Amino acid sequence: MIKLPVGYDNFRKILDNKLDFVDKSLFIKDVMDDHTTEIALITRPRRFGKTLNLSMLQHFLAAEVHGQKTTELFNHLKIGQINDGGYLKYQGKYPVIFISFKDIKDTDFVTAYNKMRELIISIYDEHNYLALSDRLSNNQRQLYQLIMTRQADRSQLQNSLQILCTCLYQHYNVKPWLLIDEYDTPIQSSYLHGYYDEMINFMRGMFGAALKTNPYLEKAVITGILRIAKESLFSGLNNLKVYSVLDERYGQYFGFTEDEMSALLVQADLMSHADEIKKWYNGYLFGQTIVYNPWSVVNCLNDGGKLKPYWLNTSDNALIKSLLAQADTDTKFKLESLVRGQSIETIVDEYVAFTHFAENPGALWSLLLSSGYLKALFCEPSGSNLKCSLLPPNYEVGMIYSELVKEWISGRIGYDQYDYFIGTLLKGNMEDFAEMLKKYLVETISVFDVSGKNPEKFYHGLVLGIISSTMKTHTIKSNRESGYGRYDVMIIPKDLTNAQAVSLILEFKVAKEGEELKASAHEALQQIEKRHYEAELKQAGITKIIKAGLAFSGKKVVVEWMS
């Protein structure tokens, strides 16, 4: 039986507990061979192994971690086997500062600042031998004690990582490595809870002191989800290199490659499930490397191959939901395309500037791309940004777009009303559906701009958005050929054995000023009949069919139907 580590972020514990794991130790080699920069920022989605890889790097570089020696941990791993073990000469040779900001996600700055101070103190306590080191000056030892005993002021706390680098160098005569995990978590939380300026100013000072022309630093590796704009946080850091989800370097180390996945499936005796697992969890693109979601795969294999949205259930997506609530009409149209499994082309602003989120739709797509909710099929320069073709990476992630659109719609009329609304349509209760649709348009249409060049496309997208949450139980098709033309929307139950299952064909018209809505709805219904749009359903043996013509004008709608 396979025993994969779930939620482990300490490399040593995986080895001590003799758990199965995918050997990513060549990540160490690639980091050490990267001489192009002193500071590497690697951005990847949550739960993709960032913390574990940094912990592995820490255990390789440091002679001891938490009082335990690290010798021989890597002898039988890939890093110990290449170049006749040549990289092992670096093992345990460096002082290391490892700090993770993953738990700094508070609702106010004072609480976040106090937790940041306690975090720094815990890092200092790991190196408490420095407070007595005779290789440090009296001033250095006194400053170390000030920080350790919570007497340091804000300026000294901002300089604490730089001070620790200096002290470690003085003690060992070897420049330390600085490993910073989830650097952007406090920044995201501060944006959501309204203290962004205070947090960004504090962290800019801390990172600036530790990373900018620090003569006592060997190298820094930083991980996070977002690529935050330099002017916001990394101002003046010319020695910083960013490796985002669009970059090829390090692509294979975060997530499972196809070869690694095949080996895991063989070990778990689940090769017969390979296609379904691939559909659910594969498809992420890091540079040109295709990888599986490691969190979902590990949980799936440990569960004997059960397919569930493991990764989606680990986050409340607060920042994404906050931004989507402010999204403009074009953004919501694009979301509806994603719900239908269609790629979108849009501008992506690679560098996230939180202060510009509201007026910059490109920042939203950058967030979704960096966070793992989209993959880039291709990108090309467009001014200072990128023009990208984006698509959800797999079935698991695609599910969230239906939920987000449902929340956007039900937020206007309430969940109970929304469920009733959808139920009337799927049961073929067209009279009640028509009344609910009229009510919905009156109460919500003011949030949309329907005066564009193609209002029919707007209403088409609106209805698709309304029904998008039904994709678990129904197949939704749009603009497909059937009979002698292309229907607007077709809804087919996945369980056709249900005696109450109804398939629907919907055709939309927008009445011009002065035209009768009823006449336009009748025209839409006749179009379904004349062009035999039901041909696709009848070929599949489906006979319980409702055809409906919907005519719109502003907040008004008329629905005419027949079965």
Side-chain angles (χ1 to χ4, degrees):
M1 180 180 177
I2 197 166
K3 295 189 301 180
L4 292 163
V6 177
Y8 279 71
D9 55 16
N10 184 293
F11 178 72
R12 177 79 182 235
K13 285 185 178 180
I14 292 175
L15 298 180
D16 287 348
N17 290 321
K18 295 180 170 54
L19 297 172
D20 300 305
F21 70 99
V22 175
D23 184 349
K24 297 285 188 180
S25 61
L26 291 184
F27 170 68
I28 299 165
K29 171 189 177 297
D30 279 9
V31 169
M32 299 195 76
D33 287 350
D34 185 1
H35 302 299
T36 62
T37 182
E38 294 177 336
I39 305 167
L41 169 58
I42 304 171
T43 61
R44 292 294 184 272
R46 59 187 168 80
R47 308 284 185 177
F48 266 73
K50 298 186 296 295
T51 304
L52 185 57
N53 276 348
L54 279 195
S55 174
M56 178 176 64
L57 184 58
Q58 176 192 24
H59 281 79
F60 183 84
L61 296 168
E64 288 187 4
V65 176
H66 304 309
Q68 292 182 288
K69 294 189 181 302
T70 59
T71 51
E72 300 185 359
L73 288 181
F74 295 87
N75 291 3
H76 302 293
L77 299 183
K78 291 179 180 178
I79 187 69
Q81 302 299 309
I82 59 169
N83 291 0
D84 295 323
Y87 281 87
L88 292 178
K89 68 184 179 183
Y90 301 109
Q91 201 279 314
K93 302 302 183 186
Y94 294 93
V96 179
I97 302 167
F98 183 103
I99 183 167
S100 176
F101 292 106
K102 64 184 177 67
D103 294 324
I104 312 295
K105 45 180 84 169
D106 302 280
T107 58
D108 63 274
F109 179 70
V110 172
T111 305
Y113 175 83
N114 288 336
K115 283 179 72 171
M116 196 92 72
R117 181 187 62 199
E118 295 305 308
L119 178 61
I120 294 294
I121 290 170
S122 70
I123 304 300
Y124 268 57
D125 195 41
E126 288 178 18
H127 302 278
N128 57 17
Y129 53 87
L130 293 173
L132 302 174
S133 173
D134 57 10
R135 296 178 184 176
L136 272 62
S137 69
N138 286 333
N139 286 338
Q140 286 173 327
R141 286 195 296 269
Q142 288 172 8
L143 185 53
Y144 202 96
Q145 286 286 4
L146 276 178
I147 294 171
M148 283 277 290
T149 56
R150 298 177 178 81
Q151 298 179 63
D153 59 26
R154 181 174 298 194
S155 176
Q156 290 165 331
L157 200 63
Q158 281 183 307
N159 290 327
S160 58
L161 294 180
Q162 188 268 336
I163 292 167
L164 185 52
C165 283
T166 305
C167 292
L168 285 168
Y169 176 74
Q170 292 291 112
H171 182 79
Y172 289 104
N173 199 31
V174 176
K175 293 180 182 179
W177 284 61
L178 176 58
L179 309 180
I180 300 175
D181 186 39
E182 297 204 31
Y183 84 101
D184 53 336
T185 296
I187 300 165
Q188 284 197 54
S189 294
S190 70
Y191 174 79
L192 284 170
H193 297 293
Y195 60 95
Y196 173 81
D197 288 343
E198 290 174 291
M199 179 57 74
I200 204 75
N201 287 336
F202 178 80
M203 296 197 74
R204 186 191 297 121
M206 175 180 283
F207 288 168
L211 302 173
K212 186 178 179 182
T213 61
N214 181 352
Y216 303 110
L217 177 66
E218 176 68 22
K219 190 164 185 172
V221 181
I222 308 168
T223 66
I225 295 174
L226 302 179
R227 185 175 179 168
I228 294 175
K230 273 191 173 186
E231 61 271 20
S232 297
L233 186 63
F234 299 115
S235 179
L237 287 184
N238 298 320
N239 53 348
L240 172 74
K241 172 71 175 173
V242 181
Y243 301 98
S244 76
V245 296
L246 298 176
D247 294 292
E248 185 62 27
R249 189 156 198 153
Y250 306 122
Q252 71 271 38
Y253 298 120
F254 299 86
F256 299 150
T257 65
E258 196 69 61
D259 288 344
E260 291 167 342
M261 192 65 210
S262 295
L264 286 172
L265 289 171
V266 169
Q267 191 176 356
D269 194 23
L270 288 169
M271 279 301 292
S272 59
H273 293 62
D275 289 343
E276 277 299 297
I277 290 173
K278 183 173 186 175
K279 171 187 171 184
W280 270 70
Y281 308 127
N282 194 21
Y284 293 87
L285 266 176
F286 298 155
Q288 295 302 309
T289 303
I290 301 172
V291 298
Y292 288 75
N293 183 317
W295 177 264
S296 291
V297 165
V298 164
N299 280 278
C300 174
L301 298 191
N302 282 348
D303 277 355
K306 290 181 182 177
L307 300 168
K308 298 178 183 178
Y310 297 102
W311 184 73
L312 291 184
N313 292 336
T314 62
S315 174
D316 61 5
N317 307 303
L319 179 56
I320 293 172
K321 289 177 181 178
S322 169
L323 295 171
L324 288 177
Q326 309 167 44
D328 58 18
T329 303
D330 181 64
T331 298
K332 287 174 177 172
F333 277 143
K334 286 184 169 71
L335 284 172
E336 288 153 6
S337 294
L338 296 173
V339 168
R340 301 194 297 274
Q342 298 173 349
S343 63
I344 61 170
E345 287 197 4
T346 189
I347 297 297
V348 171
D349 185 350
E350 281 195 277
Y351 291 96
V352 175
F354 282 84
T355 52
H356 299 149
F357 260 139
E359 65 269 20
N360 183 7
L364 170 63
W365 301 118
S366 177
L367 172 64
L368 291 170
L369 180 61
S370 299
S371 301
Y373 294 99
L374 292 171
K375 65 178 176 182
L377 301 176
F378 72 84
C379 290
E380 59 185 18
S382 178
S384 60
N385 296 317
L386 293 172
K387 183 179 181 181
C388 298
S389 176
L390 305 175
L391 188 69
N394 53 41
Y395 181 77
E396 179 187 24
V397 177
M399 293 167 64
I400 195 173
Y401 291 97
S402 298
E403 292 301 316
L404 289 171
V405 173
K406 179 179 178 179
E407 286 193 21
W408 151 47
I409 294 168
S410 61
R412 299 285 172 178
I413 61 176
Y415 273 103
D416 291 341
Q417 283 279 80
Y418 175 79
D419 288 339
Y420 177 72
F421 187 14
I422 293 299
T424 59
L425 177 65
L426 299 183
K427 292 172 186 175
N429 183 354
M430 300 306 293
E431 188 171 347
D432 284 354
F433 171 74
E435 288 304 311
M436 286 290 294
L437 183 58
K438 290 175 185 177
K439 183 172 182 280
Y440 174 74
L441 291 177
V442 167
E443 293 180 359
T444 67
I445 201 68
S446 61
V447 303
F448 301 110
D449 178 11
V450 294
S451 60
K453 294 180 181 179
N454 196 342
E456 186 173 318
K457 179 183 175 184
F458 165 78
Y459 289 110
H460 190 146
L462 175 66
V463 173
L464 281 171
I466 291 171
I467 64 177
S468 63
S469 66
T470 68
M471 292 179 70
K472 293 178 184 177
T473 56
H474 290 70
T475 299
I476 300 172
K477 299 183 177 183
S478 176
N479 285 323
R480 303 278 187 89
E481 287 190 11
S482 182
Y484 302 109
R486 299 174 71 90
Y487 55 77
D488 282 336
V489 173
M490 187 178 285
I491 307 170
I492 311 167
K494 292 181 178 178
D495 181 10
L496 294 172
T497 62
N498 186 340
Q500 295 183 325
V502 178
S503 295
L504 299 108
I505 303 170
L506 310 180
E507 189 67 26
F508 309 118
K509 296 289 181 186
V510 174
K512 296 177 183 177
E513 191 171 348
E515 287 184 344
E516 284 288 330
L517 277 175
K518 188 171 179 59
S520 295
H522 183 73
E523 181 187 348
L525 183 60
Q526 289 301 304
Q527 183 174 319
I528 298 173
E529 284 285 281
K530 289 177 182 177
R531 298 184 182 177
H532 298 285
Y533 289 157
E534 76 277 11
E536 177 183 338
L537 295 172
K538 288 186 175 179
Q539 285 172 4
I542 298 170
T543 56
K544 198 167 183 180
I545 303 168
I546 290 179
K547 307 162 191 175
L550 292 81
F552 297 91
S553 178
K555 294 186 179 186
K556 298 178 181 178
V557 63
V558 169
V559 183
E560 189 168 319
W561 65 91
M562 64 185 296
S563 56

